[in-house]
Amino acid sequence: HTNAQYQMHTGEQTFSRPSIGSWLLYGLGSTNRELPGFVVISPGPAEPGQGPPTYASSFLPGEFQGTRVADLAVPIPHLANSKYSAEAQRAALDFAQRINRAHRTGREDDLRLNARIESFELGFRMQSEAAKVMDLRGESPATTKLYGLDDPKTETFGKQCLMARRLVESGVRTVSVYHVRNEFGPSHNIWDQHTDLRKVHHANAYSIDKPIAGLLEDLKGRGLLDETIVLFGGEFGRTPTGETNDGREHHPFGFSMWMAGGGIKGGIAHGATDEYGWYAERDKVHIHDLHATILHQMGLDHEKLTYRYGGRDYRLTDVYGRVVKEIIA
């Protein structure tokens, strides 16, 4: 799981590389300086492979890493500071930053210092807008119902999807939403499904189906779907053959992901497996191809979006990747 998650997010299975969200933020910048440009909504304990390496900036400057929301009830802990006025906080921060910048003199190549300085500035700016964006209480009953917030089984993922829409609408460049465990409890089988696939997969599918449909409908209704790519999938598929008690084994040889919006053709299926559903056989799409296509639709050339590190120019797609033009509208 962990290696596959790393590859899905960074293009590399084992070594530290910047995530696609970090590359997008590096290439495009943010349109809202009061919010992080890359947000990860992953409440509760992270599942295997869903930790910091999947949203880290690696060798890119630290200000391009993802900001994780781990608690939907309190998305940004300690944001409010009622003891001091904004003017007093600004004055104190200015004093601290003068010391920080003086310390940076002669150490300009240490990107960690720049990231630290920027994090203080972003934290200060977030006080004016982040709390409003993360607060779902102002949404209409029709909208909360659209996302499934009225059903305990869809409520958690519904809140994540609704928060994602609000962040995108507010100018956040990239939002990653991780599905968390369902109501069956903290068992490895709950999401891995080596056994009891029929029971558990049904529960997982139920918990995400309505929120995802709500997100797509809401984005379209607000005129945001044409400029927003929605990508859904896991780190691999499951075997077409059974395992213990109707379970399924890991299967990286032929599996599907879907995309919507952002200039992607609707209502088509691209590629196919063999007759057993085992190997991808026709119009195969590698992870590098998927990343190249996403960057292309965001206005970036995957071969030219590079960062020099360790003596060579790196890119998200390494030395591979092609834009899958067959799925572009």
Side-chain angles (χ1 to χ4, degrees):
H1 291 282
T2 300
N3 300 104
Q5 284 272 10
Y6 291 173
Q7 185 176 30
M8 191 62 66
H9 287 87
T10 74
E12 170 59 58
Q13 288 190 21
T14 55
F15 302 108
S16 173
R17 293 288 188 272
S19 70
I20 184 172
S22 296
W23 279 110
L24 285 168
L25 185 57
Y26 165 67
L28 297 173
S30 180
T31 59
N32 188 335
R33 296 185 70 250
E34 277 66 49
L35 293 170
F38 176 21
V39 176
V40 178
I41 307 175
S42 179
E47 305 288 5
Q50 292 185 359
T54 62
Y55 52 86
S57 57
S58 186
F59 51 72
L60 288 177
E63 55 264 36
F64 299 118
Q65 71 179 2
T67 299
R68 183 187 175 202
V69 174
D71 186 345
L72 298 181
V74 187
I76 310 174
H78 315 300
L79 181 63
N81 191 338
S82 58
K83 294 183 179 180
Y84 302 99
S85 66
E87 292 76 13
Q89 291 182 59
R90 183 69 259 180
L93 181 57
D94 287 342
F95 175 73
Q97 295 292 56
R98 284 197 298 271
I99 298 174
N100 290 336
R101 294 187 179 99
H103 178 70
R104 187 178 58 183
T105 303
R107 303 178 177 89
E108 286 80 7
D109 291 337
D110 191 340
L111 299 180
R112 296 172 300 174
L113 296 175
N114 295 324
R116 185 69 168 170
I117 290 171
E118 288 300 319
S119 70
F120 284 127
E121 293 294 338
L122 177 60
F124 175 79
R125 295 195 302 268
M126 284 173 65
Q127 294 180 96
S128 64
E129 186 166 349
K132 293 183 292 184
V133 174
M134 300 289 192
D135 188 352
L136 308 182
R137 292 175 296 180
E139 294 288 346
S140 69
T143 298
T144 57
K145 185 175 182 179
L146 179 68
Y147 283 85
L149 270 61
D150 58 337
D151 183 343
K153 293 183 179 180
T154 57
E155 181 182 15
T156 297
F157 199 69
K159 286 181 177 179
Q160 292 175 255
C161 288
L162 179 52
M163 189 175 290
R165 188 270 288 168
R166 291 174 65 89
L167 288 167
V168 168
E169 194 173 34
S170 299
V172 174
R173 183 65 67 185
T174 304
V175 182
S176 294
V177 179
Y178 289 145
H179 181 226
V180 296
R181 296 170 179 173
N182 59 38
E183 73 276 9
F184 286 111
S187 167
H188 182 77
N189 177 53
I190 297 314
W191 52 268
D192 205 9
Q193 298 161 15
H194 288 283
T195 61
D196 296 322
L197 181 141
R198 185 183 300 275
K199 173 184 176 182
V200 180
H201 196 65
H202 176 272
N204 279 329
Y206 184 94
S207 68
I208 63 177
D209 187 57
K210 186 173 184 179
I212 291 170
L215 173 63
L216 294 176
E217 183 177 339
D218 201 12
L219 287 171
K220 185 175 181 179
R222 293 169 183 271
L224 294 171
L225 189 58
D226 289 343
E227 59 187 42
T228 305
I229 295 176
V230 180
L231 171 68
F232 181 88
E235 69 271 41
F236 43 60
R238 316 302 298 201
T239 55
T241 55
E243 201 180 354
T244 306
N245 189 20
D246 84 354
R248 294 292 188 272
E249 183 51 278
H250 303 168
H251 191 69
F253 308 114
F255 64 99
S256 301
M257 303 185 76
W258 61 256
M259 302 172 73
I264 302 298
K265 287 181 183 178
I268 67 165
H270 178 75
T273 61
D274 58 30
E275 61 182 314
Y276 298 106
W278 194 269
Y279 290 108
E281 196 171 63
R282 176 170 55 84
D283 296 327
K284 291 186 286 187
V285 176
H286 191 273
I287 301 302
H288 294 315
D289 302 332
L290 177 66
H291 288 166
T293 305
I294 292 172
L295 292 182
H296 178 271
Q297 291 304 94
M298 297 295 286
L300 297 168
D301 186 334
H302 75 104
E303 295 184 347
K304 295 180 178 179
L305 181 65
T306 63
Y307 188 85
R308 193 157 191 82
Y309 173 75
R312 77 172 178 94
D313 292 333
Y314 282 85
R315 68 187 209 216
L316 173 62
T317 52
D318 197 24
V319 295
Y320 309 97
R322 74 171 188 92
V323 176
V324 187
K325 296 181 179 180
E326 297 87 343
I327 69 170
I328 298 175

